[in-house]
């Protein structure tokens, strides 16, 4: 591994603006890079449907050992804002931005790690099976690129997403199914000073229902939240309607579905008491996953960690990543931590030493893929 080259590649990557929806330039950089490395490049046509700045990109390195099963690694190519004009500062082995933008280590550190791993494998003649590297746009705005990807383009049945924060050694083995819901409450307007009795307050319906609804952390694997409540026209009118929007997340989908049922029942009881009506709509935004210890990717990861003297730390995430999409569509995947911290802020940083560990881990996983 060439640490100076790794850092140089990372800096080149983050200096290419690629906020969500504007991933075109970073994908051109990657295609040129991998073409020079002699890899096979496959590009889908998803941009036509997603409206993003680029298609999904799949790069193949044909390994020397045809008996080893194919394995894939994945990163996303978009960043959050403010992600334009990033300037990197390196101090005492720590990479950060000047403080006016994000750093973009989420997820360009993952891309740099993959590129360095490929270059090292080629230079040292390391024996691997076939390796595939998937680069998806639009992750930060709803896993859009990966959702549009035809999984038949990926030969490998299992892989690793390099897109989680914290020290190398941590692995996200579970992520929740996410449901978003909207409730429209309808009452009856009336003059609040002259004849409030003739009105049906949407607020009264809401207040009654809220007494029976759980929010916050429900248990280790489940959370619920009410994010917005909007309604009303004037202070002297009984509020005749409001709209509430919330979400429920759980690694156990049946638990989330039960919570949604309880929310619906709470509003049903409230309108029975006060009158009025309500309508509830629910949309599944992401499908969760829960990878067991006996899964092949976990056994392989455990061995690779042991060889690198790393401690395997299993975590359950409250958020989603492209790993959710891969698992939902039949690929067995976990999400690996690659060392970045304070993502989505101007204080984001990553230690070069963590990137080095991640490169070694990727190479180890590629070498033992069987």
């Amino acid at each position: 591994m060439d640490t100076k080259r790794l850092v140089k590649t990372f800096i080149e990557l983050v200096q290419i603006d690629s906020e969500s929806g504007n991933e075109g330039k970073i994908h051109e950089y990657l295609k040129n890079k991998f073409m020079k490395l002699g890899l096979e490049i496959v590009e889908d046509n998803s941009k036509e449907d997603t409206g993003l700045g680029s298609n999904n990109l799949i790069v193949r390195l044909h390994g020397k050992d045809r008996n080893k099963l194919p394995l894939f690694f994945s990163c996303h190519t978009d960043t959050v804002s403010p992600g334009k004009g990033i300037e990197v500062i390196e101090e005492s082995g720590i990479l950060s931005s000047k403080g006016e933008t994000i750093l973009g280590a989420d997820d360009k550190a993952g891309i740099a790690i993959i590129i360095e791993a490929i270059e090292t494998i080629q230079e040292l003649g390391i024996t691997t099976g076939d390796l595939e590297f998937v680069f998806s746009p639009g992750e930060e705005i709803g896993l859009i690129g990966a959702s549009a990807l035809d999984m038949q383009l990926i030969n490998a049945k299992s892989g690793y997403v390099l897109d989680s924060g914290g020290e190398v050694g941590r692995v996200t083995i579970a992520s929740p199914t996410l449901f978003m819901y909207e409730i429209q409450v309808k009452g009856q307007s009336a003059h609040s000073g002259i004849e409030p009795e003739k009105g049906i307050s949407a607020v009264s319906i809401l207040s009654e229902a809220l007494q029976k609804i759980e929010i916050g952390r429900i248990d280790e694997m489940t959370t619920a939240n009410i994010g917005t409540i909007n309604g009303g026209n004037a202070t002297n009118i009984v509020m005749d309607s409001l709209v509430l929007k919330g979400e429920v997340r759980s690694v156990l989908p049946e638990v989330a579905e039960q919570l949604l049922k309880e929310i619906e029942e709470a509003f049903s009881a409230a309108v029975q008491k006060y009158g009025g009506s309500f309508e509830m709509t629910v949309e599944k935004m992401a499908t969760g996953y829960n990878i067991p210890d006996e899964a092949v990717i976990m056994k392989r990861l455990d061995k690779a960690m042991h060889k690198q003297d790393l401690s395997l730390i299993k975590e359950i995430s409250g958020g989603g990543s492209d790993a959710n999409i891969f698992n939902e569509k039949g690929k067995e995947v976990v999400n690996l931590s690659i060392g970045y911290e304070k993502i989505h802020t101007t204080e984001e940083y990553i230690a070069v030493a963590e990137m080095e560990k991640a490169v070694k881990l990727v190479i180890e996983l590629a070498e033992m893929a069987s």
Side-chain angles (χ1 to χ4, degrees):
M1 177 173 49
D2 186 331
T3 299
K4 288 185 178 180
R5 182 175 62 191
L6 170 64
V7 172
K8 180 176 181 291
T9 299
F10 174 74
I11 293 174
E12 287 179 357
L13 288 166
V14 299
Q15 287 178 337
I16 302 171
D17 297 344
S18 62
E19 290 181 347
S20 300
N22 294 284
E23 303 92 347
K25 290 182 179 179
I26 188 71
H27 279 242
E28 286 304 313
Y29 171 94
L30 292 175
K31 285 188 284 186
N32 290 331
K33 184 74 172 180
F34 294 126
M35 190 177 300
K36 290 178 181 178
L37 292 174
L39 305 186
E40 180 185 352
I41 299 172
V42 177
E43 189 173 6
D44 69 9
N45 297 313
S46 59
K47 184 172 70 170
E48 295 179 7
D49 296 322
T50 64
L52 295 170
S54 61
N55 299 308
N56 287 289
L57 199 62
I58 299 170
V59 179
R60 297 192 180 111
L61 187 160
H62 296 290
K64 298 178 181 179
D65 190 340
R66 311 305 294 177
N67 293 317
K68 291 185 177 181
L69 294 176
L71 182 68
F72 80 90
F73 296 89
S74 175
C75 297
H76 66 85
T77 56
D78 63 321
T79 71
V80 298
S81 61
K84 294 180 180 179
I86 295 172
E87 296 183 53
V88 180
I89 295 175
E90 182 176 4
E91 185 175 349
S92 301
I94 302 295
L95 301 174
S96 61
S97 75
K98 290 184 68 175
E100 299 173 352
T101 67
I102 59 166
L103 175 62
D106 173 18
D107 190 21
K108 290 179 180 176
I111 300 173
I113 287 161
I114 282 177
I115 291 173
E116 182 58 36
I118 291 171
E119 291 180 316
T120 302
I121 287 170
Q122 290 182 327
E123 290 169 355
L124 299 183
I126 295 172
T127 300
T128 71
D130 286 347
L131 302 176
E132 295 172 297
F133 305 93
V134 183
F135 302 95
S136 298
E139 191 269 355
E140 297 287 8
I141 53 175
L143 318 180
I144 295 174
S147 296
L149 176 61
D150 180 358
M151 294 297 160
Q152 292 184 355
L153 294 175
I154 305 173
N155 297 320
K157 295 181 179 179
S158 60
Y160 301 92
V161 172
L162 306 181
D163 184 26
S164 189
E167 62 185 342
V168 175
R170 297 180 179 273
V171 53
T172 301
I173 61 165
S175 178
T177 294
L178 166 62
F179 294 96
M180 293 182 66
Y181 66 87
E182 178 178 297
I183 298 174
Q184 297 185 20
V185 178
K186 293 184 179 180
Q188 175 64 52
S189 63
H191 194 291
S192 62
I194 298 174
E195 47 185 10
E197 300 83 1
K198 292 184 178 181
I200 299 174
S201 173
V203 175
S204 295
I205 296 171
L206 174 63
S207 298
E208 179 72 17
L210 287 178
Q211 296 179 46
K212 300 176 182 178
I213 295 174
E214 290 186 274
I215 60 173
R217 178 162 297 284
I218 310 303
D219 57 43
E220 183 184 10
M221 298 185 178
T222 310
T223 61
N225 185 56
I226 294 173
T228 65
I229 300 172
N230 295 291
N233 296 306
T235 60
N236 63 347
I237 302 175
V238 173
M239 187 187 294
D240 65 348
S241 66
L242 62 80
V243 178
L244 175 151
K245 294 182 180 181
E247 66 168 42
V248 174
R249 304 173 185 235
S250 183
V251 173
L252 303 173
E254 62 272 19
V255 173
E257 290 168 357
Q258 178 60 33
L259 282 172
L260 290 167
K261 182 180 178 181
E262 291 172 5
I263 292 169
E264 186 173 18
E265 290 174 347
F267 277 92
S268 180
V271 297
Q272 287 181 15
K273 178 177 179 178
Y274 289 102
S277 64
F278 79 99
E279 181 179 347
M280 180 174 177
T281 57
V282 178
E283 183 177 4
K284 182 190 283 189
M285 303 303 295
T287 300
Y289 66 91
N290 193 355
I291 306 299
D293 290 345
E294 58 269 21
V296 173
I297 54 172
M298 288 302 296
K299 290 181 178 179
R300 182 185 297 144
L301 181 62
D302 188 39
K303 290 179 182 178
M305 293 273 193
H306 181 73
K307 286 189 175 183
Q308 295 297 322
D309 293 323
L310 295 170
S311 298
L312 178 63
I313 303 172
K314 292 176 283 189
E315 297 182 326
I316 296 174
S317 173
S321 71
D322 283 343
N324 290 68
I325 303 300
F326 288 121
N327 280 293
E328 180 184 6
K329 294 190 174 185
K331 304 293 184 182
E332 193 172 59
V333 174
V334 289
N335 194 351
L336 304 182
S337 294
I338 56 174
Y340 55 64
E341 303 284 355
K342 295 187 178 183
I343 60 168
H344 297 189
T345 76
T346 56
E347 297 177 347
E348 180 186 5
Y349 69 91
I350 189 167
V352 174
E354 291 298 314
M355 294 176 69
E356 290 177 317
K357 290 179 188 176
V359 171
K360 292 176 182 177
L361 180 59
V362 168
I363 294 171
E364 192 68 57
L365 288 167
E367 193 171 7
M368 69 167 49
S370 60

